Amino acid sequence: MAAPSSLPAISNTFFTPFNPSNQTLKTRNTLTARSSLTSQSLSSAKSTLLNLISDQNRGITTQSDPQKLLQITEAIDTIASINGEQVTTDSSLSGTWRLLWTTEKEQLFIVENAGFFGTKAGDVLQVIDVEKRSLNNVITFPPDGVFFVRSDVEIASSQRVNFRFTSAVLRGKGWEFPLPPFGQGWFDSVYLDDDIRVAKDIRGDYLVVDRAPYQWKE
């Protein structure tokens, strides 16, 4: 008669066979949790940014407040670091975008000093059409004046757009003065949703715009 084995029986209680579906579910839950945390972080960062720029007169006030400028640019850089995987150069980029805040000195100079020319700056816009590969930078002077720069654009990556100025026009009621094109560059839309877009450009300038409640046309 064979001697009884001295090895204990291996209980099924301690042996769980590998189940690929369980692993897939665990991975999916992990990704969902990360996505949720990212969404919460972005929402918080967006709220912080909009609060910081709310009293900055499109950036004019920020020019004399280095501490505020640092806070705003750090808020934008935080959004960019969280949101690097978002595609912002598809059809969602198209539309009439209205300036909320910028560091772009030329635009701010015109907005701040329009009164010297007997007028007042209205909305400052970026009008983008991804399908037609066009970009217009627009400064309005109500009721009839407008200065705009036409550009051709090229989608360079998931967040970057290259642009080349093609012409510029200063227009009033019943008259128009053409100007020559004067440059090229790129900008990265580091955040974009149904309400706002946040961008950084080749010169290190920052831009925050919202979707205008109208479509600007030449």
Side-chain angles (χ1 to χ4, degrees), residues 62-213:
T62 319
Q63 293 181 108
S64 58
D65 190 341
Q67 183 60 35
K68 179 69 76 170
L69 175 62
L70 180 62
Q71 291 175 335
I72 295 171
T73 55
E74 285 182 344
I76 292 175
D77 289 339
T78 296
I79 289 174
S81 66
I82 297 171
N83 200 46
E85 295 183 2
Q86 184 188 16
V87 176
T88 59
T89 52
D90 57 11
S91 60
S92 62
L93 180 60
S94 295
T96 298
W97 298 95
R98 178 176 55 185
L99 178 66
L100 297 178
W101 183 87
T102 189
T103 57
E104 212 279 318
K105 291 182 174 59
E106 290 83 359
Q107 282 191 4
L108 292 176
F109 178 84
I110 295 173
V111 171
E112 187 175 17
N113 295 287
F116 289 120
F117 303 98
T119 186
K120 182 179 180 180
D123 286 345
V124 179
L125 308 168
Q126 276 194 339
V127 186
I128 302 173
D129 191 319
V130 171
E131 182 179 354
K132 294 181 178 179
R133 298 291 192 263
S134 67
L135 161 67
N136 282 329
N137 286 297
V138 182
I139 302 178
T140 63
F141 303 99
D144 303 304
V146 63
F147 172 67
F148 61 95
V149 180
R150 301 184 186 100
S151 303
D152 292 333
V153 300
E154 175 187 76
I155 305 304
S157 71
S158 60
Q159 294 195 342
R160 178 162 296 183
V161 173
N162 297 328
F163 63 85
R164 181 178 61 84
F165 299 128
T166 58
S167 64
V169 175
L170 181 61
R171 179 184 293 165
K173 188 174 183 179
W175 60 271
E176 182 173 299
F177 185 72
L179 299 166
F182 50 87
Q184 61 185 4
W186 55 258
F187 63 87
D188 291 338
S189 293
V190 299
Y191 179 81
L192 185 154
D193 64 16
D194 292 338
D195 304 314
I196 71 166
R197 179 168 61 89
V198 181
K200 301 163 69 173
D201 70 18
I202 188 173
R203 302 196 309 177
D205 281 317
Y206 293 77
L207 176 78
V208 183
V209 290
D210 69 356
R211 291 187 186 272

Side-chain angles (χ1 to χ4, degrees), residues 7 14 19-20 28 37 40 50 92 95 99 110 145 150 163 175:
L7 294 175
F14 299 102
N19 188 333
R28 189 176 299 157
L37 287 172
Q40 292 174 22
L50 292 177
S92 62
L99 178 66
I110 295 173
R150 301 184 186 100
F163 63 85
W175 60 271

Side-chain angles (χ1 to χ4, degrees), residues 2-23:
S5 173
S6 61
L7 294 175
I10 299 176
S11 170
N12 288 336
T13 304
F14 299 102
F15 177 71
T16 303
F18 175 72
N19 188 333
S21 63
N22 288 343
Q23 187 64 35

